[in-house]
Every structure is written in C-alpha cells, then in structure tokens.
Amino acid sequence: DAGVTQSPTHLIKTRGQQVTLRCSPKSGHDTVSWYQQALGQGPQFIFQYYEEEERQRGNFPDRFSGHQFPNYSSELNVNALLLGDSALYLCASSLEGGSGNTIYFGEGSWLTVV
Amino acid sequence: AQKVTQAQTEISVVEKEDVTLDCVYETRDTTYYLFWYKQPPSGELVFLIRRNSFDEQNEISGRYSWNFQKSTSSFNFTITASQVVDSAVYFCALSEEASSGSARQLTFGSGTQLTVLP
C-alpha cells in the first residue's frame, strides 16, 4: 500500500521563477492538503483540495495556487518566488467522511530559492 | 482561532530514561481532533496518534502513552525507556471537525526536539 508520495525531493530555483510540486495521495484517500514548513518551525497550512476544488485556504498569498486531478493527485504552484519561500513543502492526504480520519504526510519537497 | 503550544523547545535525555512532551491547545470548537507526529531528519511527518475530543481515554501503545485532559486543554506524550532512535522533532497538532466528521486543516505547535543520548 503506497503512502503519500511527493516529487521532486529537492530543487533549487532562482528568485522570480515559478515552481510546481506534485503529490500522489495514499491509496484510497481523496483529500489533499499542502503545508509549508520553514526551518525550525511547525508546518503551516496552505490549502486543501477535495473533489478537484480548493476547500480551505490558509494565510498565503495568491502566488500560491494548486490543483487536484480526477485521480486525486495534486500540484502546488508558486509564482514569482521569493527568498522567503525556501522551505519544506509537505503534502498530506486523508479520506473525507472517514471516522475521525487520520492525516498522512509525504516526505516533502525541499525548495531552496537563491 | 486555534492555537497549539509546545513550551519545550529542546529536551535531552539519556537512553532508557522516560520523557514526557507537553502540549497545550486552545480552541473554541466543542469537537476537534488532536494529533502527535514525529519528524526525523528526513523530513517526513510520521503519524503517531489521533484522539477525538470526546474520547478522553488515555492510551498506551508499546513504549508510547498519551494523556489527554480536556479540563486543562493538554495532550501530553510520554516515551518510556527512551531509545536513540526516538531522537526526532515531535509535533502536536489540532484540527477542527467538519460536519462530515472529517478533520480539516491542522494547526501545529512549534515542535519539541528530542535528543536521546546513548
């Protein structure tokens, strides 16, 4: 049973560029959330997707956008990268309507903006 | 607004000692979920436990145990007979419950770095 998988694992971008991160949820899960974790801090919620729509959004600018595909996989896009966007980006998946569902995380994508 | 406080930034113990990680939360919701995750240097958040707000029964799983007390808004985590492999950052997190019964966005504490020395 595959867990949450993310790609790429590591990447380096230049300030002003755009980046796309990808996530495949755990088998059987239909809800995907994205989190940003800066060094030495706890993860911060970016947004959540369910049924291909953004259902919840945290306090992040519009430069952060996402998408969920019919197979439940998801992408996170960040435009006009800033140095402060350097962080670990974590994808989490869960099952809507599950009895107190558990939220599982992938290993994350380490983004460095130079 | 929801808030999770992990007052212990770093804890260092010697192998085989017991260690308790503290977590205090704030929420206006009457139903919610509490979680503990472990994050090794690789970065992945490893799920340890989930507890519903209406279930205050404490739990023991091997060397791990959890103490949930709604009266003090605390959800503490204890590792008995710690091992070097337990060294990691541990996060406590809180989530509201949606009408469907699902968990929504997680609000994390700032984490506690646990170092177990041989």
Side-chain angles (χ1 to χ4, degrees), chain A residues 8-19:
Chain A
T9 306
H10 294 82
L11 69 167
I12 300 174
K13 291 288 187 177
T14 303
R15 189 172 46 184
Q17 285 187 318
Q18 178 264 344
V19 67

Side-chain angles (χ1 to χ4, degrees), chain A residues 35 37 55 96-97 100 102-103, chain B residues 33 37 39 50 100 102 106:
Chain A
Y35 290 79
Q37 186 179 15
R55 180 163 63 180
E96 175 69 13
T102 297
I103 301 172
Chain B
Y33 298 114
Y37 287 89
Q39 188 175 46
R50 180 198 70 243
S100 64
S102 303
L106 290 170

Side-chain angles (χ1 to χ4, degrees), chain A residues 17-38:
Chain A
Q17 285 187 318
Q18 178 264 344
V19 67
T20 297
L21 308 178
R22 296 175 178 82
C23 172
S24 292
K26 181 178 172 63
S27 179
H29 283 186
D30 56 10
T31 302
V32 173
S33 301
W34 288 91
Y35 290 79
Q36 179 196 66
Q37 186 179 15

Side-chain angles (χ1 to χ4, degrees), chain B residues 9 11 16 29 34 37 43 49 51 55 57 60 71 73 75-76 84 88 91-92 102 107 110 113 115:
Chain B
T9 304
I11 298 177
K16 297 185 182 178
D29 296 325
L34 292 164
Y37 287 89
I49 191 173
R51 178 63 75 228
D55 180 6
Q57 182 176 358
I60 297 175
S71 61
S73 297
F75 185 43
N76 297 335
V84 173
F91 288 98
C92 179
S102 303
T107 298
S110 55
Q113 170 69 60
T115 302

